[in-house]
Amino acid sequence: MAEEAKRISPKLSATKDAPNANSKIGRVIAVVSGKGGVGKSTVSSMLACALRRQGKRVGIMDADVTGPSIPKAFGMDERLYGDVDGNIIPPVTRFGIPVVSTNLMLERPGQAVAWRGPVLNGVLKQFFGQTNWGELDYLVVDMPPGTSDVALTVFQSIPVDGIVVVTSPQDLVEMIVDKAIDLASGMHVPVLGIVENMASFECPDCGSTHYIFGEPKGAALAQARGIPAYAMLPINPAFAALADAGRVEECNCDGALAPILDQITSIEYDFE
């Protein structure tokens, strides 16, 4: 995979899409994982909300086209619509975060998105380049799991400035992180940090901490791989309930995510 990425990478600068004339985006941050089910969309949502609480202008692009969950977490049921120039007008969350997602295009949330690769790739390019984002400090891209065609399309066509890797404390963690690092390295995109989700559980009765999926491994892995930031999130039924109720903006893990947020906001940018 690394060799394939290296062969592709010289073409990247020539194929990067740009936002339309109605959009200025400071930095694009992709949230990735080598596998599904680790809470990538949750982390994407929490990072976006935390940046918004800092006063940053933030948008979310839900690139998990066939399994989108961002609209559900934010309680959004508006439909995407276009302006007179054919650009997408994204609906905005209660906190003022514009969002694009395939689930905002469907007649019902449970409708399957059975599209082939070229269609998926075209939709992603439209989501970035044909959406009226306005002026954003950060665009958070919630990536699909894995390192396949859709992920390649994002890295090839969208100017990603850094990635955050989400994982869980299992024996597979090293392999998951290494796959994401390998892809990012081949595409010359820096890994900003690791978020180890579901790392612990605090018993509400006795207050003791339990490591249900095993001892956390992310900190040691970040150090070994030279990744500059690490954060650990616990299993928290209250947060899960808020996301299920479409109230993810009320979740506040800003303190736990502080090392990742510091790394994201340390990237300087200038609008052209």
Side-chain angles (χ1 to χ4, degrees):
M1 180 65 213
E3 289 303 316
E4 180 183 353
K6 289 174 184 176
R7 290 197 299 271
I8 294 172
S9 59
K11 301 179 183 179
L12 294 183
S13 59
T15 59
K16 296 288 189 182
D17 291 338
N20 60 41
N22 298 316
S23 305
K24 292 183 179 180
I25 299 173
R27 288 296 186 222
V28 179
I29 308 299
V31 180
V32 308
S33 177
K35 68 185 294 293
V38 296
K40 177 177 47 55
S41 295
T42 299
V43 171
S44 297
S45 301
M46 289 183 173
L47 286 174
C49 291
L51 289 167
R52 184 68 183 132
R53 277 189 282 268
Q54 291 183 7
K56 308 299 184 183
R57 298 164 297 183
V58 187
I60 302 177
M61 174 178 154
D62 190 351
D64 194 354
V65 177
T66 60
S69 54
I70 293 293
K72 168 68 175 176
F74 283 90
M76 305 179 76
D77 56 10
E78 299 94 330
R79 300 287 293 273
L80 298 179
Y81 63 95
D83 63 13
V84 294
D85 296 319
N87 293 322
I88 299 169
I89 307 297
V92 177
T93 73
R94 289 187 292 272
F95 275 24
I97 300 172
V99 172
V100 292
S101 172
T102 50
N103 254 27
L104 301 177
M105 301 167 56
L106 306 177
E107 294 181 0
R108 50 187 175 81
Q111 184 177 343
V113 179
W115 297 339
R116 295 189 183 276
V119 177
L120 297 177
N121 296 340
V123 167
L124 289 176
K125 291 179 180 181
Q126 285 184 299
F127 276 0
F128 179 74
Q130 292 180 237
T131 296
N132 289 341
W133 291 108
E135 288 197 358
L136 296 181
D137 298 304
Y138 299 97
L139 177 64
V140 177
V141 181
D142 181 25
M143 295 283 285
T147 55
S148 60
D149 186 44
V150 173
L152 282 173
T153 295
V154 170
F155 282 109
Q156 285 182 287
S157 60
I158 296 175
V160 177
D161 296 288
I163 70 168
V164 175
V165 182
V166 181
T167 187
S168 58
Q170 298 164 306
D171 289 338
L172 292 173
V173 62
E174 186 170 359
M175 180 187 70
I176 293 168
V177 173
D178 280 347
K179 285 181 181 294
I181 292 173
D182 191 51
L183 178 65
S185 175
M187 298 299 182
H188 308 294
V189 176
V191 181
L192 302 177
I194 297 176
V195 177
E196 194 163 15
N197 194 25
M198 301 179 284
S200 62
F201 175 72
E202 183 173 330
C203 176
D205 297 324
C206 67
S208 59
T209 300
H210 302 275
Y211 300 105
I212 296 174
F213 298 110
E215 292 284 339
K217 304 173 179 65
L221 186 58
Q223 183 176 12
R225 298 296 188 272
I227 297 172
Y230 166 75
M232 184 175 70
L233 293 178
I235 297 172
N236 190 322
F239 287 166
L242 285 172
D244 287 344
R247 296 161 53 197
V248 73
E249 287 166 301
E250 298 175 34
C251 299
N252 191 328
C253 283
D254 300 11
L257 290 171
I260 307 294
L261 293 166
D262 289 346
Q263 196 63 34
I264 291 173
T265 55
S266 70
I267 306 175
E268 296 182 356
Y269 67 88
D270 293 301
F271 287 138
E272 295 181 356

